[in-house]
Amino acid sequence: MRGPHLFLRVGVKRGVYGFTLFLAVLALLLSVVTFSRFYSQSSHLSIKAFASYLSADPRQVEGGINETVDEIIEKIVKEMAHLRETTTDHSELMRERLRYIDFLTDILGLMGSVKEPLQHIGSSAHLRPSGTAAVAHPLSRSNQPYDELVEFFLVEEVRKYMRIKPNRLGKQNFMGANGTFASIGHACFSMKEEMEEYMDYDVGDFCEDDWKQAQRLMVHGCDPLPRRRCFARAPKLYTKPLPINESTWRYPDDRNVRWSHYRCKSFACLARNSTGKGFFKCADCFNLTHHEMPRWTKVVYIDPSSNSTPDFLVREVLEIKPGEIRIGLDFSVGTGSFAARMREFNVTIVTATINLGAPFSEMIALRGLIPLYLTINQRLPFFDNTLDIIHTTRFLDGWMDFILLDFVLYDWDRVLRPGGLLWIDSFFCQRKDLDDYLEAFKLLRYKKHRNKQFTPSLFDRPFVAKPRCLVIIYNSHIKAYHPFYLWP
């Protein structure tokens, strides 16, 4: 006759198997819902059904989901504690009990991972308008879901960056917003593969040496780029920079630059008077001794075929507004020599540039100056009426579209204070386009202080492609508050 312990063993095993099967089905359903919510592209059937359920009353549904998940977790924890306290002498039942505890541990971890995105959905519910399924921007006048933009990218780091970050306290922050709204350039959506490749990294690890890809994205309209959670690579043998009184007109140490994406591998190569250096704009501006040193201090024409130095000197320009020029911007292609010269007159200049074939930004910084890594696509990161002077050379040329030129000039006008100076230095264009460009500058209605144009005979030589150079210094009287200053 079979003993009672045998029936007990069979009953316990059936109960364990049944409960295990129930939890497995529950885990499968939760997994399907979770993955369809965060990794679907076009087919959103399950998440749409879940979102329609949320649209009834987001706060009430959020509380119900959290209570259900907490109740399941509490029951699993109690069951695990009960099993640990149970003692038995049967080895087979002991193995089943240990396997059952491991299974419950896995289910507990899964429930914890499911609860976090559910909390994210609930915490974002107050940002969405009543009656809409997806999160909408709080300042949007339509009900267009904001999540559709987030779901466009497959790389999770892009999604995490773009999602609305609600304030943890549930109140407006000191900036007057209920959350933080990250931004990326609209062209990032057109360069989806390149964007996802740029954002595909291990959090907390070193980033790839992909600054050139990042710059290519910025130049083509993916600007601003999203932030990343990886460490930027640095030169392997970085040395201390030169002291401020020595760094301005001395070449930096080659070890302080990553040369992997440049044709030249040293500053000596960049300073040579040769071709094939990887860039053509400002080809001689790394030659500090012969080319950069005389600029804006004395008129010296090293090469008769080009205007190597401007027609106006720094001292002459500052005399237009004695003691008024203190801070400004140099939006040019160069190595910061204009900022270096202006610093000699106690004027602080920020130099905006990008690394087009050479380490322009690193060179400016190693000279003890301030580089601003900025493309022409971006609005200037300065507040209205704050700068005393804006200088540009070798940048506003005949390649620029007239509409783009308008946007650039009006943005510069925005940041120039009333009475500030706009110094347009070495502007090149075809002779037939000169009048059109001059008309664009006249639309600003600035007072013209000085103007020099080269005679056409200078550019009639065969080796010059019919450009014409214009050097103008404008005074932004339009920004004064008196109507009679609008027209000089």
Side-chain angles (χ1 to χ4, degrees):
M1 184 174 181
R2 298 180 179 178
H5 63 279
L6 182 60
F7 294 99
L8 178 62
R9 181 189 307 175
V10 175
V12 171
K13 292 176 66 176
R14 287 182 178 178
V16 169
Y17 292 153
F19 190 66
T20 301
L21 179 61
F22 168 75
L23 291 178
V25 173
L26 177 61
L28 180 61
L29 291 176
L30 290 174
S31 301
V32 171
V33 173
T34 303
F35 284 110
S36 64
R37 171 65 180 87
F38 292 100
Y39 294 97
S40 61
Q41 300 182 50
S42 58
S43 177
H44 299 284
L45 299 180
S46 59
I47 189 57
K48 283 184 178 179
F50 182 66
S52 63
Y53 176 64
L54 286 177
S55 63
D57 191 347
R59 297 180 183 273
Q60 183 178 359
V61 173
E62 172 202 353
I65 293 176
N66 287 332
E67 290 178 2
T68 303
V69 174
D70 290 338
E71 184 178 355
I72 295 175
I73 292 177
E74 183 180 358
K75 289 183 177 181
I76 293 176
V77 172
K78 289 182 179 180
E79 185 69 18
M80 293 173 61
H82 175 70
L83 289 174
R84 288 192 179 97
E85 294 174 357
T86 304
T87 57
T88 179
D89 297 333
H90 304 287
S91 59
E92 186 176 352
L93 286 177
M94 178 66 71
R95 288 194 300 270
E96 291 291 336
R97 185 168 65 87
L98 293 176
R99 189 172 66 177
Y100 187 37
I101 292 176
D102 293 337
F103 174 76
L104 291 179
T105 303
D106 295 337
I107 296 298
L108 184 63
L110 181 61
M111 293 300 296
S113 63
V114 171
K115 185 177 179 181
E116 181 178 356
L118 290 177
Q119 288 177 342
H120 172 75
I121 296 174
S123 61
S124 301
H126 68 281
L127 292 175
R128 70 183 66 168
S130 177
T132 59
V135 177
H137 196 284
L139 298 183
S140 176
R141 296 183 180 180
S142 64
N143 292 332
Q144 181 180 2
Y146 184 81
D147 287 347
E148 290 183 359
L149 300 176
V150 178
E151 297 295 334
F152 180 78
F153 295 99
L154 299 180
V155 177
E156 189 63 20
E157 277 297 283
V158 187
R159 298 184 176 192
K160 290 180 179 179
Y161 180 80
M162 292 180 60
R163 287 192 184 103
I164 298 176
K165 315 296 189 305
N167 299 335
R168 295 185 60 187
L169 299 180
K171 302 178 182 179
Q172 286 189 351
N173 55 28
F174 67 96
M175 296 180 289
N178 291 327
T180 304
F181 309 89
S183 62
I184 62 174
H186 70 282
C188 297
F189 295 91
S190 302
M191 297 181 285
K192 178 181 178 181
E193 295 181 0
E194 292 81 358
M195 177 69 172
E196 291 178 341
E197 180 181 355
Y198 174 73
M199 293 297 291
D200 188 10
Y201 56 86
D202 295 328
V203 177
D205 202 352
F206 283 99
C207 306
E208 297 292 335
D209 188 10
D210 55 359
W211 71 263
K212 193 172 184 179
Q213 179 185 1
Q215 181 172 279
R216 183 166 58 248
L217 288 170
M218 293 170 58
V219 170
H220 288 85
C222 186
D223 192 12
L225 279 175
R227 295 187 176 104
R228 297 200 293 187
R229 297 190 292 176
C230 56
F231 295 103
R233 295 186 179 271
K236 296 181 179 180
L237 301 175
Y238 195 90
T239 61
K240 291 182 179 180
L242 296 174
I244 192 66
N245 58 340
E246 301 178 11
S247 61
T248 305
W249 300 106
R250 286 182 57 184
Y251 289 109
D253 196 320
D254 293 335
R255 294 174 293 180
N256 291 348
V257 175
R258 289 182 296 154
W259 300 94
S260 55
H261 293 287
Y262 300 119
R263 185 173 298 178
C264 280
K265 305 301 180 182
S266 65
F267 288 109
C269 173
L270 294 173
R272 292 194 199 103
N273 187 15
S274 61
T275 59
K277 293 186 289 187
F279 62 97
F280 65 93
K281 199 80 170 176
C282 187
D284 296 325
C285 59
F286 283 90
N287 187 348
L288 299 182
T289 305
H290 298 90
H291 183 269
E292 295 294 287
M293 187 77 74
R295 300 184 71 189
W296 299 288
T297 57
K298 54 184 177 180
V299 179
V300 177
Y301 297 103
I302 302 174
D303 185 358
S305 65
S306 65
N307 182 23
S308 60
T309 58
D311 291 276
F312 298 121
L313 309 182
V314 169
R315 175 179 45 79
E316 297 174 349
V317 175
L318 295 181
E319 288 176 354
I320 298 176
K321 298 280 184 176
E324 297 185 22
I325 308 302
R326 306 153 301 155
I327 57 174
L329 171 69
D330 179 25
F331 209 125
S332 306
V333 180
T335 55
S337 296
F338 178 78
R341 284 304 180 195
M342 294 292 280
R343 187 169 65 182
E344 297 173 359
F345 294 87
N346 297 321
V347 179
T348 301
I349 297 293
V350 177
T351 305
T353 187
I354 56 176
N355 290 9
L356 292 176
F360 289 98
S361 297
E362 295 95 318
M363 179 68 172
I364 295 171
L366 291 172
R367 296 179 70 181
L369 306 169
I370 304 175
L372 184 63
Y373 193 61
L374 190 70
T375 67
I376 190 61
N377 306 323
Q378 268 193 325
R379 185 174 185 260
L380 289 179
F382 303 105
F383 193 67
D384 305 353
N385 309 304
T386 53
L387 300 184
D388 299 322
I389 185 173
I390 292 181
H391 171 264
T392 179
T393 180
R394 296 170 176 170
F395 177 73
L396 290 182
D397 288 351
W399 63 270
M400 184 171 290
D401 177 78
F402 287 105
I403 300 298
L404 174 60
L405 179 63
D406 276 350
F407 279 107
V408 171
L409 290 179
Y410 278 100
D411 191 36
W412 290 1
D413 171 81
R414 176 185 61 84
V415 300
L416 270 178
R417 65 167 176 83
L421 293 180
L422 174 59
W423 186 353
I424 300 175
D425 183 359
S426 301
F427 182 93
F428 292 91
C429 67
Q430 293 184 355
R431 183 180 291 106
K432 63 179 182 178
D433 296 330
L434 180 60
D435 292 337
D436 294 331
Y437 281 107
L438 283 175
E439 191 64 28
F441 294 122
K442 290 178 181 179
L443 291 177
L444 293 176
R445 295 175 287 183
Y446 284 8
K447 179 183 178 181
K448 186 186 299 183
H449 282 281
R450 301 193 180 186
N451 178 24
K452 287 188 180 181
Q453 297 187 26
F454 287 101
T455 58
S457 59
L458 178 62
F459 296 98
D460 285 340
R461 300 178 182 179
F463 50 78
V464 180
K466 295 184 180 180
R468 198 170 183 184
C469 184
L470 176 69
V471 183
I472 311 176
I473 300 176
Y474 283 111
N475 181 203
S476 57
H477 274 305
I478 190 175
K479 301 183 71 61
Y481 297 109
H482 303 289
F484 56 85
Y485 280 134
L486 291 180
W487 296 95

